[in-house]
Amino acid sequence: MKQKTYITALVSGLCLLLTTFGCQKNFFDQVPDDRITIEEVFNRRLESEQYLANIYARIREENNQWSENPWMGVADEADMTWARSGYNTYFINLGAWDPNSGYFQFWEHYYRGIRSATYFMQHIGGNAEILKLPNGQALIDQYWAEARFLRAYFYFCLLRQYGPVILLGDEVIPPDTPFDNLLIPRNTFDECVSYIASELDAAGQALPLAQTNAREEGRATRSMAMAVKARLLLYAASPLYNGNTDYASFTNEGGTPLISQSYDENKWKLAADAAKAIIDLNHFDLYKVTDSEGNIEPIASYSGVVLEPWNREQIFVRPAWNDGDWERHASPRFGGGWSGIGATQKQVDAYFMANGKAIDEEGSGYVETGFSTADTRYTTAGTYNMYVNREPRFYASIVYNGSYWIHRDEGDIRVGMHRYGNTGMEGTWDFSRTGYLIRKNIHPNSNPRLNRFVRRPYVMFRLGEVYLNYAEALNEYDPGNPDILRYINLIRERAGIPKLEGEYTQEEMRQRIQQERQVELAFENHRYFDTRRWKIAMETDGGPFEGMNVEAPVSDFDDPEFYRRTVFETRVFQERHYLWPIPQSEIDRNRALIQNPGW
């Protein structure tokens, strides 16, 4: 497939053709005395490495749900309490947005990164300072492969948000190219997937399997490229993109369907093979904490996956992220937090019981009325029964009314999210509309009240996801394969719940895998993309959303009025919302660029 780099059709005008430079004619003849030319940048090692670092900086901070990403707050798992009137996720959830709104538009952001990566790849090979080093060529090859990986990752990020995109080649066109020559159409989704996968393969071949120098942690590796590819192929095999006849009229001007109209079961096999290739590296393990007798400590294990830096489950991480921002938003008000991230009742209901059964499954033992009369392993007497005898991942992830806060500096304080509680709504806007907060990814040694936060990497890809990717793909093309139960049960074993046993139909197993993902990968920015690629978002992401009755005039933990399911928001999800709208400014600039359906 031959491609040309008409980058300026995709970003904000010709002046964005050069990411770090101006676009005037004869620009390179106008360098101030205190600045170096671009030729000098790529003849010096430090400046070239800084250029590459700036490309890495294009990787967005996934857990910042206010300015960086909306994925958690517009999925059915969470409510961004701070995302009420005046905040973009609020308007998105109400359906009050369009291609002109500018909400979380990353089209230009990632194409800038793609352009920068391509420019780096074209120029790093002649770096005189690096070539003088004994390992100079090897270092250049590594840097080149890192930029290639980053470019492929940016394409993947565009693809998951917008669907089919425009693939760019490796040539750079002059700034004075006639505007009419910059009009190019989108590639098909399958073309995008094939290109990104091949780029990841090529980059991975020139990268180390893992970084052996602690100072290099976070740089691209072969395993990172494999993990992105595995997720890419899983998405490509899913119903939204694999034979989706709802998109029959979604074509380029020439009539080429942008989404394949023919279902291809082999796409699931490709996804399974990609996931299994990571498993077969035998380099990664599920993170586990055990007691003195060798028994798994499920809460410590599940929490530690994201809290323990550089553990063996982590595949792709960002070395530094704004954990203080996340922890302050998620923490209760009495602990110095803003109570800004609330789990929805849908997410609370998704967690299994301690016996491994779903709450609506026969024999689960789930009770939604009254209060417990005795202590259990994770709860005390007087806890509302909805929260008693739930699985360990529930207690590692959810702060509910009457639970104890995680920070020992605060003493044994029960979190009161009822109206007159220590984190209730009375007299403040810093309260959870759902009656829940999120405990996951809160470090026990951090304390917002003291402005003390434990720095750690942010986990973007991990082995637990790969196991679930593999099981899901296997179930779709080879139902009944024993590996399906094997890898699901490895996740459940670490979670401290009984294994699945017996035989399941393909549909039964599909439902179990989807619920397992909803629980295991909760609040890790998967749920938004999962409900869409499965084509179930019309059922999961629209309509009334419930939490507890936070507005009831309740002063005590044992007042049953608080525990009444109450609608806090009615969300709007329409067919067009399966794909994000391309910014209208890009459509206006490039007349060959087809807008996503319904927008």
Side-chain angles (χ1 to χ4, degrees), residues 70-84:
W71 313 130
M72 196 182 305
V74 296
D76 65 347
E77 63 185 351
D79 172 57
M80 298 296 114
T81 297
W82 271 52
R84 286 175 287 188

Side-chain angles (χ1 to χ4, degrees), residues 158-388:
L158 284 167
L159 196 73
R160 68 177 185 173
Q161 182 174 4
Y162 297 102
V165 295
I166 298 174
L167 296 175
L168 311 177
D170 295 326
E171 299 177 7
V172 177
I173 60 172
D176 56 355
T177 299
F179 187 75
D180 287 346
N181 291 356
L182 302 177
L183 307 181
I184 53 176
R186 299 165 76 168
N187 290 82
T188 68
F189 188 86
D190 286 349
E191 287 172 342
C192 293
V193 170
S194 177
Y195 173 76
I196 298 169
S198 65
E199 288 292 290
L200 290 167
D201 285 342
Q205 291 174 6
L207 292 169
L209 175 63
Q211 297 294 347
T212 56
N213 185 338
R215 297 176 59 185
E216 302 298 313
E217 294 284 10
R219 298 184 77 105
T221 62
R222 177 155 46 98
S223 55
M224 287 165 60
M226 294 171 71
V228 176
K229 178 183 175 181
R231 192 186 294 181
L232 166 74
L233 295 180
L234 183 77
Y235 285 13
S238 300
L240 184 63
Y241 307 111
N242 190 1
N244 184 1
T245 56
D246 292 342
Y247 286 149
S249 60
F250 184 25
T251 66
N252 270 331
E253 289 183 352
T256 302
L258 291 174
I259 301 292
S260 173
Q261 297 299 289
S262 301
Y263 174 75
D264 184 357
E265 186 180 81
N266 190 59
K267 290 180 179 180
W268 288 110
K269 184 178 187 306
L270 293 176
D273 290 346
K276 189 61 161 55
I278 300 171
I279 296 170
D280 288 345
L281 292 173
N282 293 318
H283 182 79
F284 301 98
D285 298 301
L286 292 183
Y287 179 79
K288 297 175 185 177
V289 177
T290 57
D291 62 19
S292 58
E293 298 179 355
N295 300 311
I296 296 174
E297 294 281 2
I299 288 184
S301 298
Y302 182 66
S303 298
V305 170
V306 293
L307 295 180
E308 183 63 29
W310 314 113
N311 68 68
R312 293 272 293 182
E313 183 165 346
Q314 299 171 359
I315 301 174
F316 181 179
V317 304
R318 292 294 289 144
W321 67 286
N322 194 0
D323 42 64
D325 191 50
W326 167 261
E327 292 184 325
R328 189 177 297 281
H329 276 81
S331 296
R333 197 170 63 254
F334 71 80
W338 293 336
S339 299
I341 309 171
T344 64
Q345 191 65 46
K346 286 186 178 183
Q347 183 61 37
V348 169
D349 293 344
Y351 289 94
F352 299 99
M353 300 297 291
N355 60 14
K357 295 180 180 291
I359 64 172
D360 58 354
E361 191 175 351
E362 183 178 357
S364 71
Y366 177 73
V367 177
E368 197 171 304
T369 57
F371 298 86
S372 64
T373 58
D375 293 348
T376 68
R377 182 177 181 181
Y378 299 119
T379 63
T380 57
T383 299
Y384 192 62
N385 281 324
M386 178 189 289
Y387 315 129
V388 177

